[in-house]
Amino acid sequence: MDTKVQASQYASLSVKLWPPSKSTRLSLVKRMTTNLTMPSILSRKYGLLSKEEAEDRSKEIEEEAFATADLHFEKEPDADGSSAVRLYASESSKLMVEVLKRGPTVKQNGEGLMLEKLTATDGNLFDISGGRRAFIDAEEAEQLLRPLSMPHNSYTRICFSNRSFGLEAARVAEPILVSLKDQLTEVDLSDFIAGRPEAEALEVMSIFSSALKGCKLRFLDLSNNAMGEKGVNAFEGLFRSQNQLEELYLINDGISEEAARAVCDFIPSTDKLRILHFHNNMTGDEGAVAIAEIVSRSPSLEDFRCSSTRVDSEGGVALAEALGSCTRIKKLDLRDNMFGVEAGLALCKPISRFADLTEVYLSYLNLEDEAAIAISNALKESAPSLEVLELAGNDITAEAASALAALIQAKQFLTKLNLSENELKDEGASVISEALEAGHGQLIEVDMSANAIRIAGAKALAEAVANKSGFKKLNINGNYISEEGIDELKDIIPHVLGPLDENEPEGEDDLDLEDEAEVDDDELESKLKGLQINKHE
């Protein structure tokens, strides 16, 4: 083809806005999830959705809006797909309003009768998290919390999650909690101020902090409260009085570097801490240094989660060095950060000492072959009872396959292996398959999706797991397997082959032109960025 003509075709294709890429669609789902859990006129009237329900509804909305816009584009294609993008956004907004007007879903029992659990009492547990997620006022708080105010009650664990406390409700709870100071050991205040204005939410947090100050807690969950530094400061009294904590959860709390530093400064002792979760915050490198300080003084740590926290190389190295003090680690989750090779290499030293490690999640860390090989070698010499291994999305090629295979071969207790979204191709898949063939009687799931694998590598994987009695799923979606190849795979493993809806039967040969025609995500994002719920609906 004439290069000028080819260049002209590429230029014309590169400006298309429709269809959006997978990453753009996922980004829209995340944005809608946020919108569906934010306070609005509709949420105050019909109730707030839980984060889990908002995620499910957002996925359904996006799929329906995409289908509508895609049909429009097929029938009336315009030059760049901009009208389809506008329809995609407007349909999403309209469907969000409909979801909010329906309110949170209330489950039904087996006979079809409406069932709403207001309060659960199980031995020493008092739990009001069941039922509809909604605001509670003073009157309802008095009714709900009455069992806690009864003399000589035996409650040591309380869960106020999923109910939004305002000032009046918090003032009802305050004297009750003060009366329980000497007996409470577990407190769950996750998602307990949803939809409240910032000033009110901060005052509510301060009231609860003051009321619970001095409790000898072993378990504290303050997740899903969008606390930020101000919220952490509001809980200063409670934090400073805790020297017996064994479990601390600060998930999805807007923990910035300043907030992380405050948590580090406020908690007086963490030598008993076994579980520490910081998932989905905006901690960054400086915040990671503060978290690393908490980790370094937590020799009893068994379960550490610092995933999706925007930590780069410097913070990753700090965390890796701090983990050197934690020889009892059983579960390590550092997924979805920007560690890079340097931080990946730094992880090798502590990992080589984790004799009790059973689950390790190191996906989406930009490890590349160099760090992936080093970590594989370190894990091979430690963690004899490793059950879960995740190294997805790390730009790993067939060059690292031998080291990975040696690691896999050594870990005969593996139940789940995830190496998806790498570049292992047929060569790497075949080497991994050989390692999986012998033994591995407890293996139930292997994910090798999106690895540029063709039929040869796919068949090798299928044959490697075909005779494992408890095996449940082989995911090889998003690869380059021919239609004939798919039929062969179905003959080998008919019941455990995962979906293949994103498979590219034509393979890589046709991808060059598609790469040039990639949707301009930045431009499409700008068109979808303003998507929000119409407050006047």
Side-chain angles (χ1 to χ4, degrees):
M1 182 184 292
D2 185 89
T3 56
K4 290 184 178 180
V5 174
Q6 191 177 37
S8 174
Q9 286 183 345
Y10 287 167
S12 64
L13 285 168
S14 65
V15 298
K16 279 189 175 294
L17 298 175
W18 194 263
S21 68
K22 182 178 179 180
S23 63
T24 299
R25 295 181 66 182
L26 289 172
S27 178
L28 180 61
V29 170
K30 289 180 181 178
R31 190 174 300 126
M32 287 192 294
T33 299
T34 299
N35 282 338
L36 287 173
T37 54
M38 287 174 62
S40 66
I41 293 173
L42 291 177
S43 67
R44 289 183 183 276
K45 182 176 180 180
Y46 297 103
L48 287 162
L49 272 68
S50 67
K51 187 173 184 293
E52 292 74 17
E53 184 174 0
E55 287 175 347
D56 291 341
R57 299 295 84 77
S58 294
K59 290 173 184 176
E60 294 169 2
I61 290 170
E62 191 281 329
E63 290 173 359
E64 185 173 341
F66 176 84
T68 300
D70 198 46
L71 183 61
H72 164 83
F73 183 72
E74 289 179 3
K75 290 183 176 179
E76 302 177 30
D78 50 15
D80 62 357
S82 59
S83 66
V85 171
R86 288 194 296 272
L87 181 59
Y88 183 44
S90 64
E91 281 293 301
S92 297
S93 183
K94 182 185 76 174
L95 292 169
M96 279 197 296
V97 171
E98 292 177 2
V99 165
L100 276 176
K101 285 183 175 179
R102 288 200 298 269
T105 301
V106 180
K107 295 182 179 180
Q108 294 184 336
N109 64 15
E111 298 175 342
L113 299 175
M114 301 304 288
L115 178 65
E116 181 174 300
K117 183 182 69 172
L118 291 178
T119 306
T121 56
D122 177 15
N124 59 7
L125 170 65
F126 180 85
D127 184 358
I128 61 170
S129 65
R132 181 171 175 151
R133 183 178 188 243
F135 294 95
I136 62 173
D137 56 23
E139 183 179 353
E140 185 178 4
E142 288 179 359
Q143 186 176 24
L144 285 173
L145 305 183
R146 185 171 293 125
L148 288 176
S149 62
M150 300 295 289
H152 310 299
N153 72 75
S154 60
Y155 298 118
T156 60
R157 300 181 294 153
I158 59 171
C159 178
F160 288 179
S161 181
N162 200 42
R163 296 301 178 102
S164 180
F165 282 77
L167 272 177
E168 298 305 315
R171 288 175 181 138
V172 169
E174 183 177 15
I176 296 174
L177 294 177
V178 169
S179 70
L180 299 173
K181 273 188 180 183
D182 293 335
Q183 64 190 69
L184 288 179
T185 61
E186 298 186 16
V187 170
D188 184 345
L189 298 180
S190 59
D191 194 23
F192 85 119
I193 50 167
R196 302 292 179 178
E198 181 183 278
E200 182 181 19
L202 289 172
E203 191 168 350
V204 169
M205 286 189 276
S206 294
I207 290 172
F208 274 81
S209 174
S210 177
L212 292 167
K213 180 180 177 181
C215 289
K216 295 180 180 179
L217 301 180
R218 57 163 298 279
F219 173 104
L220 178 60
D221 190 346
L222 299 175
S223 301
N224 300 312
N225 285 313
M227 295 193 300
E229 185 183 8
K230 292 180 182 178
V232 171
N233 287 334
F235 275 112
E236 178 179 357
L238 175 58
F239 280 133
R240 287 194 182 279
S241 67
Q242 300 308 305
N243 54 23
Q244 302 292 319
L245 273 181
E246 296 179 24
E247 300 183 36
L248 176 61
Y249 301 86
L250 295 170
I251 298 170
N252 193 32
D253 270 329
I255 302 293
S256 61
E257 60 181 77
E258 296 84 4
R261 171 51 57 190
V263 173
C264 179
D265 291 342
F266 294 162
I267 297 181
S269 171
T270 57
D271 61 334
K272 291 181 170 55
L273 201 62
R274 295 184 301 101
I275 300 175
L276 178 61
H277 283 197
F278 271 97
H279 171 67
N280 196 29
N281 285 295
M282 49 186 184
T283 312
D285 271 354
E286 292 301 318
V289 171
I291 296 172
E293 188 174 330
I294 299 174
V295 171
S296 67
R297 58 183 198 233
S298 305
S300 301
L301 202 61
E302 298 176 1
D303 180 348
F304 178 54
R305 185 182 188 190
C306 190
S307 50
S308 302
T309 46
R310 306 183 187 181
V311 177
D312 215 319
S313 181
E314 180 183 351
V317 170
L319 288 171
E321 292 175 349
L323 284 165
S325 304
C326 309
T327 57
R328 302 180 188 178
I329 290 286
K330 295 179 181 178
K331 181 177 179 181
L332 179 64
D333 186 349
L334 300 172
R335 283 176 288 189
D336 190 23
N337 284 299
M338 301 169 284
F339 281 20
V341 174
E342 183 182 0
L345 293 174
L347 275 173
C348 294
K349 186 175 180 179
I351 281 177
S352 66
R353 302 175 62 195
F354 291 162
D356 298 325
L357 189 66
T358 58
E359 299 179 35
V360 59
Y361 303 88
L362 301 177
S363 297
Y364 309 105
L365 293 177
N366 300 322
L367 296 177
E368 302 181 13
D369 285 337
E370 183 181 358
I373 291 171
I375 287 172
S376 295
N377 292 336
L379 277 171
K380 181 186 174 185
E381 302 304 321
S382 63
S385 301
L386 191 67
E387 297 174 7
V388 178
L389 172 63
E390 280 202 13
L391 284 163
N394 276 305
D395 297 320
I396 301 172
T397 72
E399 183 179 336
S402 294
L404 285 169
L407 165 61
I408 293 166
Q409 180 62 46
K411 305 306 171 187
Q412 288 295 314
F413 294 102
L414 272 182
T415 59
K416 293 184 180 181
L417 173 66
N418 185 352
L419 297 173
S420 64
E421 296 187 52
N422 285 300
E423 294 292 332
L424 287 163
K425 299 187 176 180
D426 277 1
E427 181 184 351
S430 297
V431 174
I432 299 296
S433 300
E434 290 179 15
L436 288 172
E437 276 183 328
H440 293 101
Q442 298 180 33
L443 194 66
I444 60 174
E445 185 176 328
V446 172
D447 190 342
M448 289 283 286
S449 58
N451 262 290
I453 297 171
R454 294 180 181 277
I455 184 57
K459 282 183 65 178
L461 287 166
E463 289 167 354
V465 301
N467 295 320
K468 300 188 186 303
S469 58
F471 194 80
K472 295 180 180 179
K473 184 180 180 181
L474 174 63
N475 185 359
I476 47 175
N477 206 359
N479 286 302
Y480 310 139
I481 306 168
S482 66
E483 297 293 347
E484 295 79 4
I486 290 175
D487 290 337
E488 290 185 61
L489 293 173
K490 289 180 178 178
D491 288 338
I492 299 171
I493 47 171
H495 303 301
V496 299
L497 185 61
L500 292 165
D501 54 309
E502 295 181 8
N503 180 54
E504 294 283 349
E506 301 302 321
E508 289 177 297
D509 296 337
D510 295 335
L511 292 183
D512 293 338
L513 188 61
E514 291 179 12
D515 288 344
E516 295 294 336
E518 185 79 24
V519 172
D520 186 338
D521 283 346
D522 290 339
E523 187 172 353
L524 182 53
E525 282 285 337
S526 69
K527 291 181 178 292
L528 294 174
K529 197 169 287 184
L531 178 62
Q532 59 183 350
I533 301 166
N534 186 340
K535 299 292 193 297
H536 301 293
E537 288 287 344

